Amino acid sequence: MLLEVRDLHVEFRTRDGVAKAVNGVNYTVDAGETLAVLGESGSGKSVTAQAVMGILDIPPGKIAGGEILFKGQDLLKLKENERRKLRGSGMAMIFQDALSALNPVLSVGDQLGEMFTVHRGLSRKDARAKAVELMDRVRIPAARERVRQYPHQFSGGMRQRIMIAMALALEPDLIIADEPTTALDVTVQAQVMDLLAELQREYNMGLILITHDLGVVADVADKIAVMYAGRIVETAPVHDIYKAPAHPYTRGLLESIPRLDQKGQELYAIKGLPPNLMRIPPGCAFNPRCPLARDVCRTDEPPLYEVSKTRRSACHFWEEAIRG
Ligand SMILES: Nc1ncnc2c1ncn2[C@@H]1O[C@H](COP(=O)(O)OP(=O)(O)O)[C@@H](O)[C@H]1O
Ligand SMILES: [Mg+2]
């Protein structure tokens, strides 16, 4: 197994109290596999990813428990310099906002080239050639000329391609893409997502794709983990989730995807808001918003019930949920 997150807990200590952002997350990603992590804003998707990458804001953040095994080695036991070495060559991250992730005063060629001069000891000239090659790989037209340009001279979609190129540069085993297409137009979103999926297959990388939009990842993900209030509430192969979600929250997310055949109709939205992470309700954290909730849901936290060999749901009434 390439990556195994085991019972991860992350908290943030703030003036107002302790926010329990990640509360016992488990997931795995194999080489060549794509895991989509889905959930509303604030559900702990990015914080989990930051813990894996070793870029968590500590303090105020704190890893309160768990293990993060990368090729069998617990990353939480590594020294900071060992983790730094892993970033880029072992695992790399793609962010939503390329404009703030890239350096505005360095040409994209210099930024891409730096990966090779700093990490691989290449000469400037060889690094520049590598930069052009990478820009070709992510299909940026006229790479040879554009390698001298600065991030702001590229469109949003092209900048996102540059970030993908940066992530690929050292051929990592794992890529984490955190809402990589959220800031883009719908048509550009699909192109960037297709490119990412294609490169992932080619390099046989593990990919974690974080999104709040199931519509975007349906075609590229193998399996999905749905997060709510810092917990995974459903995990399943992507097709199962589409056919019949086994958690009322997943169903709500699915029903809020815009569909072409429903143009003009008002979009369904899950009623209510996610809980305050300093006061997660007892029982099932989703119960105040859940159409299936009854007494037991307000007192007993549901375990991840085994729905099938490949599928789990943290709903006491998953059998009812799956029937729809
Ligand atoms: N730097 C931070 N300081 C304090 N709290 C934070 C910080 N980063 C994240 N959190 C808390 O963790 C929660 C989950 O954040 P995040 O993982 O970014 O959500 P998302 O699922 O939208 O990616 C936030 O709602 C917030 O309460
Ligand atoms: Mg996020």
Side-chain angles (χ1 to χ4, degrees):
M1 190 58 64
L2 180 61
L3 177 74
E4 198 169 347
V5 175
R6 283 193 191 157
D7 197 25
L8 184 69
H9 292 256
V10 182
E11 322 174 323
F12 288 92
R13 282 162 196 281
T14 69
R15 262 183 317 168
D16 306 321
V18 178
K20 300 200 160 204
V22 178
N23 301 296
V25 161
N26 292 280
Y27 60 55
T28 63
V29 186
D30 230 331
E33 188 176 49
T34 298
L35 165 72
V37 180
L38 186 71
E40 285 166 299
S41 172
S43 53
K45 307 181 299 294
S46 296
V47 167
T48 306
Q50 288 157 10
V52 172
M53 278 298 290
I55 56 170
L56 198 64
D57 224 353
I58 299 176
K62 178 188 168 197
I63 297 194
E67 294 174 319
I68 301 173
L69 304 177
F70 184 67
K71 298 179 177 176
Q73 183 176 43
D74 188 356
L75 298 182
L76 300 179
K77 298 209 171 95
L78 291 185
K79 297 199 180 65
E80 181 46 36
N81 65 330
E82 297 172 305
R83 288 206 84 175
R84 199 175 314 124
K85 253 185 255 161
L86 262 187
R87 282 196 287 276
S89 59
M91 53 177 76
M93 194 148 169
I94 299 167
F95 299 92
Q96 174 179 331
D97 179 8
L99 208 48
S100 55
L102 297 169
N103 186 338
V105 299
L106 272 188
S107 73
V108 301
D110 284 342
Q111 285 180 70
L112 285 167
E114 222 170 53
M115 302 294 291
F116 299 101
T117 52
V118 173
H119 296 271
R120 294 281 188 266
L122 294 195
S123 69
R124 267 189 66 104
K125 183 158 165 284
D126 290 347
R128 176 56 62 111
K130 280 281 198 189
V132 173
E133 196 183 304
L134 273 172
M135 287 172 73
D136 275 330
R137 288 309 308 274
V138 297
R139 294 202 286 278
I140 293 175
R144 203 169 289 281
E145 289 77 53
R146 301 207 73 181
V147 72
R148 287 185 207 89
Q149 294 185 331
Y150 292 84
H152 73 268
Q153 293 174 287
F154 291 80
S155 67
M158 287 297 152
R159 267 200 300 271
Q160 220 52 19
R161 286 168 193 262
I162 292 164
M163 211 160 27
I164 293 173
M166 295 273 287
L168 285 175
L170 304 179
E171 303 192 11
D173 302 298
L174 174 71
I175 287 202
I176 303 178
D178 193 350
E179 313 249 9
T181 64
T182 300
L184 306 175
D185 294 341
V186 179
T187 48
V188 182
Q189 270 185 3
Q191 291 161 7
V192 171
M193 199 54 80
D194 288 347
L195 172 72
L196 189 57
E198 180 192 315
L199 292 166
Q200 180 247 348
R201 274 194 300 273
E202 212 176 293
Y203 288 76
N204 198 37
M205 294 178 295
L207 176 63
I208 299 176
L209 210 48
I210 297 172
T211 180
H212 63 269
D213 182 355
L214 187 47
V216 175
V217 298
D219 297 331
V220 299
D222 297 302
K223 58 186 188 184
I224 291 190
V226 181
M227 284 189 73
Y228 189 78
R231 295 194 179 96
I232 289 183
V233 296
E234 180 168 7
T235 58
V238 66
H239 299 295
D240 290 1
I241 290 230
Y242 262 93
K243 241 190 288 164
H247 195 288
Y249 178 61
T250 313
R251 182 169 295 276
L253 289 177
L254 268 176
E255 286 175 359
S256 43
I257 299 176
R259 284 185 7 203
L260 291 174
D261 56 344
Q262 290 180 335
K263 232 181 223 151
Q265 261 177 275
E266 206 173 309
L267 217 56
Y268 172 88
I270 305 169
K271 67 171 204 278
L273 291 171
N276 180 336
L277 296 173
M278 295 183 198
R279 282 183 292 278
I280 297 176
C284 169
F286 185 58
N287 87 71
R289 307 171 73 186
C290 182
L292 301 184
R294 50 207 86 164
D295 286 347
V296 63
C297 307
R298 290 179 266 274
T299 53
D300 295 10
E301 190 187 325
L304 267 171
Y305 294 104
E306 194 173 300
V307 174
S308 75
K309 276 245 158 355
T310 51
R311 208 168 169 185
R312 286 167 174 272
S313 165
C315 175
H316 291 303
F317 300 101
W318 64 265
E319 282 163 305
E320 207 173 314
I322 213 167
R323 282 198 302 270

